[in-house]
Amino acid sequence: MRSRSRTRTPLGTRAPRRLAALAVVSVLGAGLLAGCADDGDGKDSTGSGSSSSGGGGGGGAKTTLTVGVFGAFGLKEAGLYDAYMKLHPDIEIKQTSIERNENYYPQLLTHLGSGSGLADIQAVEVNNIAEVTATQAAHLEDLGKVKGVDKAAFLPWKWGQATTKDGKTVGLGTDIGPQGICYRKDLFAAAGLPTDREAVGKLWAGDWQKYLAAGERYKAKAPKGKAFVDSASGVLNAITGSSDTRYYDADGKVVYKTSPAVKEAWDTAASFATRGLTAKLQQFQPSWDQGFANGSFATVSCPAWMLGYIQDKAGAAGKGKWDVAAAPKPSNWGGSFLVVPSAGKHREQAAELAAWLTAPAQQATFFEKRGSFPSAKAAYALPTVAGAQHDYFGGAPIGQIFAKAAEGTPVQALGPKDLIIAQNLADVGMLQVDQKGRSPQAGWEAAVKAIDNALDQ
């Protein structure tokens, strides 16, 4: 899993009328805000310090609640802050943002340790939630006890990611990244493979080795210069995301070197590279973006939030050519949480806001407006999710596809250095196999060396 600046584009979903439960968000309007989540104040901090009260513009004093996020997180852009303030005229919400999580997160840890410089609500990326839960729980409120929070409304594995061993829930999930396989129908047809999404899903249902076999079939008749998959590293990340034990075990011990799931993922992804099935690209680099525009590959492992990314990079020429099928196994890539620091002056009101923002109705709107798939399973039956289709991807029923993936994703044991391990396996080890032609064993040894050095620091 990669840490990226969180820039997501709307999905362009369409759905039938909403249930009455969604009526409270009707004030959002049809307009979408794009781009940066920064409020324009130029602040480069995890939050604006302790919250304050100010004049209410004729309505009396208002309580100002601050929210610290990374990148274009999406809550503001989806209109959720405006909706909450309309429902609560005594509350004003202000957001600050740092563009990249790798800059945001170290500052958040520093501020939690000092008890100062914090927003009333802070966002935490999934790759960091294990460390926050294990080491910062004493500095955070127990959101599982907040009025209106329903544990049963969330996916069990998502709820568990932010819950300590003694039962304190320090974070509420905003979204997740259930994965499918996005594929080019025109390239599949040219290679003699089926193009209907149900038939495509059956090609590899239940087994990542079947995905490899489909790649071999594709390669035999593929158009010249059109690879089966974008990168071996992408395959590696997708497979590890479908296993319950990856880099750490349930006791918090680093086990990636001996994990059967990691070995399977490594060997399978390396086979994609050594058999010439990849476009040899590195994800989230300019060449990868250009690969979408040029139609350089036929498939890519894609969480729900990536659909907007593909639409943006492939452009108008790709509309109707891309589709989405189920992945070989349910898998997750991405997602975030909201936490409430105990050092805040308005902890109770901040917790109420965090609970409202992550409630099923608001998560459904978040998905509709920003493509962030709900971590609250109770949202899946709402028309905005259940009836969601994506015009760019041939009307694919994305609500149904990703809900099924989300509900089937295993409960994973997360560790504090998951991101470091994943990045080095992908960008140091597998990238050398894919781009430089090094042997899978040599790539593995390079990755292990880099990981051990990083974990020793």
Side-chain angles (χ1 to χ4, degrees):
M1 289 180 283
R2 303 177 62 82
S3 176
R4 309 165 312 284
S5 72
R6 192 179 172 107
T7 51
R8 302 179 183 175
T9 52
L11 286 181
T13 56
R14 53 187 175 87
R17 291 187 306 161
R18 298 173 184 162
L19 291 175
L22 292 179
V24 294
V25 297
S26 62
V27 297
L28 298 181
L32 299 182
L33 299 178
C36 183
D38 196 301
D39 285 328
D41 57 9
K43 292 180 180 178
D44 186 27
S45 63
T46 55
S48 59
S50 58
S51 54
S52 60
S53 298
K62 289 188 176 184
T63 298
T64 299
L65 298 179
T66 54
V67 183
V69 303
F70 49 90
F73 197 82
L75 296 173
K76 177 183 176 183
E77 293 84 347
L80 293 178
Y81 297 159
D82 289 339
Y84 191 81
M85 288 187 287
K86 188 169 183 177
L87 292 170
H88 300 82
D90 59 328
I91 297 292
E92 182 176 4
I93 302 171
K94 292 186 177 181
Q95 176 179 280
T96 58
S97 175
I98 292 179
E99 179 61 21
R100 301 192 67 84
N101 183 54
E102 52 261 45
N103 298 323
Y104 166 89
Y105 181 63
Q107 291 188 33
L108 174 60
L109 289 181
T110 298
H111 292 317
L112 284 171
S114 66
S116 62
L118 291 157
D120 293 300
I121 295 174
Q122 298 278 176
V124 179
E125 211 267 345
V126 65
N127 285 310
N128 305 124
I129 195 62
E131 183 172 27
V132 167
T133 302
T135 67
Q136 303 298 321
H139 304 299
L140 299 170
E141 295 297 288
D142 187 347
L143 300 182
K145 297 180 178 179
V146 176
K147 181 180 179 181
V149 173
D150 181 10
K151 175 181 177 180
F154 289 83
L155 291 162
W157 58 265
K158 182 70 173 184
W159 183 271
Q161 287 176 339
T163 301
T164 65
K165 292 182 178 180
D166 60 1
K168 182 178 181 180
T169 300
V170 301
L172 296 176
T174 58
D175 65 311
I176 55 176
Q179 296 199 75
I181 299 293
C182 293
Y183 65 99
R184 284 278 298 250
K185 291 183 286 189
D186 57 331
L187 298 182
F188 268 44
L193 295 179
T195 60
D196 174 77
R197 69 181 66 95
E198 293 293 332
V200 169
K202 290 179 180 178
L203 287 176
W204 48 65
D207 191 345
W208 288 100
Q209 287 295 319
K210 292 181 180 179
Y211 185 44
L212 178 65
E216 295 279 19
R217 285 182 58 187
Y218 172 86
K219 181 183 177 183
K221 297 182 179 180
K224 184 177 181 181
K226 306 296 185 181
F228 180 65
V229 70
D230 63 321
S231 69
S233 293
V235 175
L236 175 68
N237 287 331
I239 300 176
T240 55
S242 64
S243 302
D244 55 1
T245 302
R246 308 177 303 165
Y247 314 132
Y248 288 78
D249 64 15
D251 296 323
K253 180 181 177 181
V254 177
V255 296
Y256 79 94
K257 294 178 185 178
T258 57
S259 167
V262 172
K263 177 174 174 51
E264 177 194 0
W266 181 269
D267 291 345
T268 304
S271 292
F272 274 83
T274 58
R275 297 183 189 184
L277 302 179
T278 83
K280 304 182 184 300
L281 299 173
Q282 184 176 5
Q283 293 186 329
F284 301 102
Q285 297 298 315
S287 58
W288 190 59
D289 295 347
Q290 194 62 41
F292 284 113
N294 295 338
S296 300
F297 47 87
T299 72
V300 60
S301 299
C302 57
W305 52 259
M306 193 185 285
L307 300 187
Y309 190 96
I310 294 172
Q311 179 175 344
D312 180 45
K313 301 306 178 184
K319 184 176 182 180
K321 295 179 180 177
W322 282 96
D323 210 323
V324 190
K329 292 183 179 180
S331 177
N332 185 75
W333 176 9
S336 297
F337 297 81
L338 298 180
V339 302
V340 175
S342 298
K345 292 184 177 179
H346 305 293
R347 297 188 298 275
E348 182 176 349
Q349 289 160 305
E352 290 175 357
L353 172 57
W356 186 87
L357 290 170
T358 56
Q362 281 63 257
Q363 289 203 27
T365 297
F366 197 23
F367 171 61
E368 181 186 25
K369 301 295 185 182
R370 300 297 297 174
S372 298
F373 202 80
S375 62
K377 64 180 180 180
Y380 299 167
L382 299 178
T384 306
V385 180
Q389 298 178 0
H390 203 306
D391 292 338
Y392 189 88
F393 289 79
I398 57 173
Q400 298 175 27
I401 291 172
F402 291 117
K404 186 175 181 179
E407 292 172 334
T409 297
V411 178
Q412 290 186 328
L414 300 182
K417 304 302 179 183
D418 266 2
L419 183 59
I420 289 176
I421 296 172
Q423 284 185 326
N424 282 288
L425 285 174
D427 294 342
V428 173
M430 191 55 67
L431 195 65
Q432 292 186 13
V433 179
D434 202 13
Q435 292 189 349
K436 298 181 180 180
R438 298 192 68 183
S439 70
Q441 182 61 34
W444 174 261
E445 291 172 355
V448 168
K449 181 178 180 180
I451 293 168
D452 285 350
N453 288 339
L455 295 184
D456 286 342
Q457 293 179 0

